[in-house]
């Protein structure tokens, strides 16, 4: 594990620790010497390229797989919930409904309900003695304390939040798709509230609304979290630490995902500076030895060659998770070698072959260069009607897109976003209205389903047909897109989704387009590839229309937001954060205006009939219960504020301005929450 900086702060109890953890995959080592500590209430984002071993590490931490080496300690009686990427077999053999499955989480409470009813029946029959009344009172108190009057509300909240409308709750589990089963398992885990919740790609199969609901739920999670996700925006909103698993080793970074990216870049720059300095020193010492090895300073030259040999071997170990900082001042035994002295010629060859420290896994080296500059106005439209002959999908506001703008087109699946891109590409005509493109415009299209690729072709064939390159040059061209060796001769139809995405980007780069129409370009790409694509698009000297669920990418690129909702495309001129702020203000104003009238809700009466609640306690008892809840919430919020305050002091001392800003925002939110809780407590107490 990378050494934690001095500003790092830990105050909670460790619930999981590992010692030199290792795992193999066949003859290959997947990772080794993993030493990590997970504390209660920590929120971890586990990142790394595809195949780095993230899911395997999660299985080991969850106790579902044994490591090949090392050890792991979990706190006794630690409750762990684990969500696999796909949970198709989770409910195999179950024939009950969605709602009935959620009820199984609360079997203990439901047994209490049965016992309470039996006691009530006995009391109604006149069998109420003091002992029965005492047992009834104690059981009712336990039922209330453990959430008996809340659990059905929690079930509704979770199911609706994860996209299961009320009229679907009677659906048998056997009728659910794989994605629906994965969502249902996630809902069950949220209701179980384990002390450690491990989620492997939890946003798969969720729409944006459900992802935002899950973000809000996890931000208030009371236990520890470990999350693997390709959704960088999702990670940024939730995690307070990032574990990076790459090249068989794990490094730990304090803060959000954005903070991790900044720290990682800084670490790499420091390693590069150190590497350059060390290599320069080696070259000077080598030149001295070359001049004096047979001259008057033979002994000094031989001493330098002995040290040079050790230092060269040390620097050859840089990479694969090992840094110069880790290896400096190590002995021969510690660097895995034996004391010897190279010849001057051998030392010169090996110094010349020294590779600089890697900045991470192999990354896309994409180039998207506009062949020529477009006019200032790229696209203008009247009020368009988009769809197919006989099928209208939506109408648009008037659109004006200028050079260097990036418009992000967002909306529900199936609302017509891809159809709009095809209309702009000239594959479909608008049903009504008009559109006009600017001068000197060259359009380039990245289709979500990679329709521009011929599935029967080989990878190299796609480059050859879209360029004037010869085969050798085409192979060289494909290498930065991670197609090397025999990979270039694979059939396109046999490629994975990520591989096809990389090939589609390679073909797009050949077009020289100055107006890019991108339909879900980061689908199937791992985080390093997403970051590489983002960097290229940020530097692109042209105009972009982006359809994407990747909110992190939208947040970094968009200058306009085109929201498609309820058969209408509305244009918001501003960044994604400005759009979200505007949307929140409108929602708040709308809700304030609707307060006098109850919102129309889904008929859920059949749910109450399914599991009727015991008789509610008296109003005074309800007031006492709420006061107790408020006291606990106020204590928790004050404790969290104190921790944030301490972390801010540490961040200020370390001059970590990004983290200071993040903690200041968190403190403002917590202060507002504390004020609201205190006001409610005072009202009830008074």
């Amino acid at each position: 594990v990378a050494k934690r900086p001095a500003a790092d702060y830990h105050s909670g109890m460790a619930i999981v620790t590992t010692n030199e953890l290792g795992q193999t995959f066949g003859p290959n080592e997947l990772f080794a010497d993993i030493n990590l500590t997970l504390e209660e209430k920590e929120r971890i984002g586990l990142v790394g390229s595809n195949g780095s071993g993230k899911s395997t590490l999660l299985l080991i931490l969850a106790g579902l797989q044994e490591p090949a080496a090392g050890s792991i300690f979990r706190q006794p009686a630690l409750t762990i919930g684990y969500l696999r990427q796909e949970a198709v077999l989770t409910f195999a053999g179950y024939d009950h409904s969605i709602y009935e499955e959620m009820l199984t989480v609360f079997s203990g409470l439901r047994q209490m309900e049965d016992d309470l009813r039996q006691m009530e029946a006995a009391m109604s029959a006149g069998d109420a003695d003091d002992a029965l009344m005492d047992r009834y009172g104690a059981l009712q108190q336990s039922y209330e304390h453990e959430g008996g009057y809340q659990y059905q509300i929690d079930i509704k909240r979770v199911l609706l939040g994860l996209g299961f409308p009320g009229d679907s709750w009677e659906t048998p589990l056997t009728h659910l798709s794989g994605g629906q089963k994965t969502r249902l398992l996630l809902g069950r885990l949220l209701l179980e509230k384990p002390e450690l919740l491990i989620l492997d790609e939890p946003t798969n199969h969720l729409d944006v609304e459900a992802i935002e609901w899950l973000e809000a739920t996890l931000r208030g999670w009371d236990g520890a979290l470990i999350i693997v996700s390709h959704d960088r925006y999702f990670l940024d909103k939730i995690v307070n630490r990032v574990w990076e698993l790459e090249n068989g080793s794990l490094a730990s970074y304090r803060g959000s995902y954005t903070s991790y990216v900044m720290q990682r870049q800084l670490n790499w720059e420091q390693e590069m500076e150190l590497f350059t300095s060390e290599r320069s020193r080696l070259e000077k010492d080598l030149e001295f030895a070359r001049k004096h090895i047979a001259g008057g300073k033979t002994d000094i030259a031989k001493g330098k060659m002995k040290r040079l040999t050790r230092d060269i071997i040390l620097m050859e170990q840089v990479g694969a998770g090992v840094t110069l900082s880790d290896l400096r001042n190590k002995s021969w035994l510690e660097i895995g070698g034996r004391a010897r002295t190279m010849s001057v010629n051998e030392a010169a060859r090996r110094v010349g072959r020294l590779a600089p420290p890697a900045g991470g896994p192999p990354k896309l080296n994409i180039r998207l260069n506009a062949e020529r500059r477009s006019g200032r106005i790229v696209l203008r439209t009247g009020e368009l009607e988009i769809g197919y002959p006989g099928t209208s999908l939506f109408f648009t506001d008037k659109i004006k897109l200028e050079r260097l703008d990036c418009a992000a087109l967002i909306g529900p699946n199936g609302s017509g976003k891809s159809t709009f891109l095809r209309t702009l590409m000239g594959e479909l005509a608008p049903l009504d209205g008009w559109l006009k493109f600017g001068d000197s415009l060259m359009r380039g299209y990245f289709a979500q389903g990679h329709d521009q690729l011929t599935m029967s072709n080989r990878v190299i064939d796609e480059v050859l047909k879209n360029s004037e390159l010869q085969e050798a040059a085409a192979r060289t061209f494909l290498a930065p897109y991670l197609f090397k060796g025999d990979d270039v001769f694979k059939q396109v139809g046999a490629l994975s989704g990520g591989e096809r995405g990389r090939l589609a980007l390679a073909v797009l780069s050949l077009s020289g387009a100055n107006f890019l129409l991108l339909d879900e370009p980061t689908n199937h790409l791992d985080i390093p590839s997403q970051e590489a694509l983002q960097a290229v698009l940020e530097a692109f000297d042209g105009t972009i229309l982006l359809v994407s669920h990747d909110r992190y990418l939208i947040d970094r690129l968009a200058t306009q937001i085109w929201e498609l909702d309820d058969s209408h495309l509305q244009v918001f001129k501003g960044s994604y954060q400005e759009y979200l702020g505007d949307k929140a203000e409108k929602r708040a104003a709308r809700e304030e205006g609707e307060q006098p009238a109850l919102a129309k809700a889904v008929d859920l009466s059949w749910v109450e009939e399914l599991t009727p609640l015991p008789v509610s306690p008296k109003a005074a008892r309800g007031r006492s219960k709420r006061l107790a809840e408020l006291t606990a919430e106020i204590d928790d919020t004050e404790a969290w504020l104190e921790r944030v305050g301490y972390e801010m002091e540490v961040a200020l001392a370390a001059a970590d301005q990004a983290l200071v800003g993040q903690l200041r925002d968190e403190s403002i939110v917590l202060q507002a929450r504390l004020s609201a809780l205190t006001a409610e407590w005072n009202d009830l107490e008074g």
Side-chain angles (χ1 to χ4, degrees):
V1 178
K3 296 176 182 177
R4 294 189 174 97
D8 211 356
Y9 170 65
H10 284 257
S11 64
M13 179 183 70
I15 59 175
V16 178
T17 57
T18 70
N19 180 43
E20 297 184 354
L21 203 67
Q23 188 59 289
T24 57
F25 184 73
N28 301 317
E29 186 177 73
L30 196 56
F31 50 76
D33 299 325
I34 302 293
N35 299 296
L36 58 82
T37 299
L38 174 67
E39 297 182 356
E40 57 184 356
K41 298 193 177 184
E42 271 198 308
R43 300 195 290 266
I44 306 295
L46 176 58
V47 303
S49 57
N50 291 339
S52 61
K54 299 187 298 295
S55 294
T56 301
L57 180 58
L58 293 187
L59 287 168
I60 293 173
L61 295 176
L64 301 175
Q65 189 176 118
E66 289 298 318
S71 59
I72 182 169
F73 168 79
R74 304 177 191 85
Q75 279 292 334
L78 177 69
T79 55
I80 300 176
Y82 176 64
L83 178 74
R84 297 175 183 268
Q85 282 193 40
E86 301 293 341
V88 177
L89 301 178
T90 300
F91 304 110
Y94 291 25
D95 58 1
H96 49 262
S97 71
I98 288 174
Y99 194 84
E100 288 167 341
E101 174 60 27
M102 297 296 99
L103 285 174
T104 62
V105 175
F106 305 100
S107 56
L109 286 172
R110 300 185 73 205
Q111 181 60 54
M112 287 186 189
E113 290 174 4
D114 291 341
D115 294 343
L116 287 169
R117 284 192 177 81
Q118 290 176 17
M119 293 180 186
E120 290 165 0
M123 289 186 285
S124 298
D127 297 334
D129 55 19
D130 289 343
L132 178 60
M133 293 294 291
D134 289 344
R135 290 200 308 274
Y136 181 82
L139 183 59
Q140 189 179 48
Q141 187 174 4
S142 297
Y143 178 83
E144 180 181 353
H145 177 73
E146 294 179 25
Y149 298 109
Q150 181 67 28
Y151 77 87
Q152 289 195 50
I153 296 172
D154 289 342
I155 291 175
K156 296 174 189 177
R157 178 179 58 82
V158 168
L159 288 177
L160 292 173
L162 291 177
F164 291 100
D167 56 9
S168 72
W169 295 355
E170 292 181 284
T171 305
L173 300 183
T174 52
H175 293 180
L176 300 182
S177 67
Q180 288 173 318
K181 289 179 179 178
T182 302
R183 279 192 284 138
L184 193 62
L185 176 59
L186 174 58
R188 180 184 172 115
L189 291 172
L190 294 174
L191 291 170
E192 288 175 346
K193 299 180 180 178
E195 295 163 301
L196 169 57
L197 182 58
I198 301 176
L199 304 176
D200 196 351
E201 296 293 353
T203 60
N204 285 359
H205 314 293
L206 297 182
D207 60 20
V208 172
E209 186 176 349
I211 292 173
E212 291 175 347
W213 176 87
L214 182 60
E215 280 173 2
T217 300
L218 294 181
R219 280 185 64 81
W221 188 255
D222 195 42
L225 289 169
I226 303 178
I227 303 171
V228 169
S229 178
H230 286 88
D231 189 332
R232 298 171 292 166
Y233 196 89
F234 180 76
L235 291 176
D236 216 33
K237 289 289 186 180
I238 297 169
V239 306
N240 56 21
R241 180 176 300 280
V242 173
W243 290 345
E244 180 189 60
L245 184 60
E246 284 295 354
N247 300 313
S249 64
L250 187 140
S252 179
Y253 297 84
R254 175 69 174 89
S256 65
Y257 176 82
T258 297
S259 176
Y260 144 73
V261 172
M262 295 168 61
Q263 293 174 61
R264 184 188 59 188
Q265 179 65 20
L266 180 61
N267 289 350
W268 180 79
E269 290 173 357
Q270 291 172 342
E271 280 295 308
M272 273 298 298
E273 184 178 349
L274 180 57
F275 174 84
T276 303
S277 172
E278 290 289 284
R279 185 171 60 183
S280 176
R281 179 182 63 81
L282 293 181
E283 289 170 345
K284 290 178 181 177
D285 287 350
L286 184 60
E287 184 62 25
F288 177 90
R290 190 191 303 275
K291 288 180 179 179
H292 300 290
I293 196 70
K297 298 181 180 180
T298 301
D299 290 341
I300 298 176
K302 286 182 177 180
K304 281 191 178 292
M305 285 306 303
K306 185 175 181 179
R307 288 191 297 273
L308 267 171
T309 299
R310 174 197 164 278
D311 290 348
I312 290 169
I313 292 173
L314 182 150
M315 289 189 68
E316 287 174 340
Q317 296 185 24
V318 171
V322 179
T323 67
L324 271 172
S325 304
D326 297 327
L327 291 174
R328 294 185 89 177
N329 302 318
K330 297 285 185 179
S331 68
W332 278 104
L333 182 62
E334 289 175 309
I335 66 174
R338 57 181 179 81
R340 69 185 186 89
T341 303
M342 295 178 186
S343 68
V344 172
N345 288 338
E346 180 187 0
R349 285 196 305 271
R350 291 172 72 161
V351 168
R353 292 200 301 263
L354 288 174
K363 292 182 180 179
L364 292 175
N365 187 14
I366 308 168
R367 291 179 177 83
L368 292 174
N369 297 319
E371 188 173 298
R372 61 174 181 257
R373 182 188 179 101
S374 71
R376 184 175 68 85
I377 303 299
V378 172
L379 173 67
R380 294 177 68 96
T381 76
E383 295 177 347
L384 292 174
E385 182 181 6
I386 301 298
Y388 299 91
T391 305
S392 177
L393 295 177
F394 63 88
F395 296 84
T396 76
D397 286 352
K398 291 182 178 179
I399 291 171
K400 179 182 178 183
L401 195 62
E402 297 188 8
R403 180 178 173 272
L404 300 181
D405 270 345
C406 175
L409 175 57
I410 61 176
N413 292 338
S415 56
K417 300 187 297 295
S418 297
T419 304
F420 188 41
L421 293 190
R422 293 184 61 196
T423 301
L424 295 180
M425 284 300 297
E427 297 177 13
L428 294 170
L431 300 181
D432 197 7
W434 57 269
L435 60 86
K436 182 178 180 182
F437 293 105
D439 297 331
S440 304
L441 204 64
M442 298 175 64
R443 286 166 287 176
Y445 180 38
F446 180 99
Q448 180 178 353
H450 310 131
D451 301 336
Q452 70 271 46
L453 303 178
T454 304
M455 295 298 119
S456 59
N457 274 353
R458 301 173 303 169
V459 169
I460 198 167
D461 294 333
E462 289 297 311
V463 173
L464 295 175
K465 80 174 185 180
N466 287 284
S467 70
E468 298 180 357
L469 297 175
Q470 299 300 310
E471 183 169 311
R475 295 186 66 162
T476 301
F477 169 79
L478 282 165
Y481 294 87
L482 308 185
F483 293 104
K484 300 177 181 179
D486 291 340
D487 290 343
V488 302
F489 301 118
K490 287 182 179 178
Q491 191 176 46
V492 175
L495 299 178
S496 68
E499 289 171 327
R500 280 203 296 271
R502 287 191 270 115
L503 178 58
L505 288 170
V507 172
L508 179 64
S509 72
L510 293 167
S511 69
N514 52 28
F515 181 27
L516 302 180
L517 294 91
L518 308 177
D519 195 353
E520 299 291 356
T522 58
N523 270 12
H524 308 294
L525 295 182
D526 58 18
I527 282 183
S529 297
Q530 290 178 29
E531 291 176 348
L533 177 58
Q534 175 188 307
V536 170
L537 294 178
E538 285 177 328
F540 179 63
D541 189 27
T543 309
I544 300 171
L545 174 54
L546 174 68
V547 172
S548 180
H549 287 92
D550 187 340
R551 293 167 298 157
Y552 198 89
L553 186 67
I554 292 172
D555 192 36
R556 293 297 296 265
L557 296 179
T559 58
Q560 296 186 28
I561 305 296
W562 297 356
E563 182 183 25
L564 183 50
D565 184 39
D566 196 23
S567 302
H568 181 210
L569 187 151
Q570 291 181 299
V571 174
F572 177 86
K573 293 189 176 181
S575 69
Y576 186 59
Q577 290 301 320
E578 291 169 334
Y579 158 78
L580 291 178
D582 180 74
K583 192 174 180 181
E585 288 179 8
K586 289 178 179 176
R587 185 190 301 119
R590 185 171 62 251
E591 289 174 353
E592 185 176 348
E594 292 175 354
Q595 263 186 345
L598 290 174
K600 184 178 179 181
V602 179
D603 180 14
L604 304 176
S605 58
W606 62 272
V607 176
E608 277 74 14
E609 293 170 5
L610 192 67
T611 53
L613 292 171
V615 178
S616 297
K618 293 180 180 179
R621 185 167 183 156
R623 173 178 166 277
S624 176
K625 174 177 178 289
R626 181 56 184 155
L627 278 170
E629 290 174 348
L630 285 168
T631 300
E633 290 182 36
I634 288 170
D635 288 345
D636 287 345
T637 306
E638 287 177 339
W640 192 250
L641 258 173
E642 184 177 347
R643 175 170 178 166
V644 169
Y646 181 92
E647 292 180 354
M648 191 180 297
E649 290 178 9
V650 175
L652 284 167
D656 188 343
Q657 296 304 318
L659 182 56
V660 169
Q662 176 189 339
L663 292 170
R664 184 179 292 114
D665 291 344
E666 189 170 0
S667 177
I668 291 170
V669 173
L670 288 170
Q671 289 283 5
R673 174 173 173 75
L674 182 61
S675 298
L677 291 170
T678 303
E680 185 180 353
W681 191 93
N682 288 332
D683 288 344
L684 286 174
E685 182 67 14

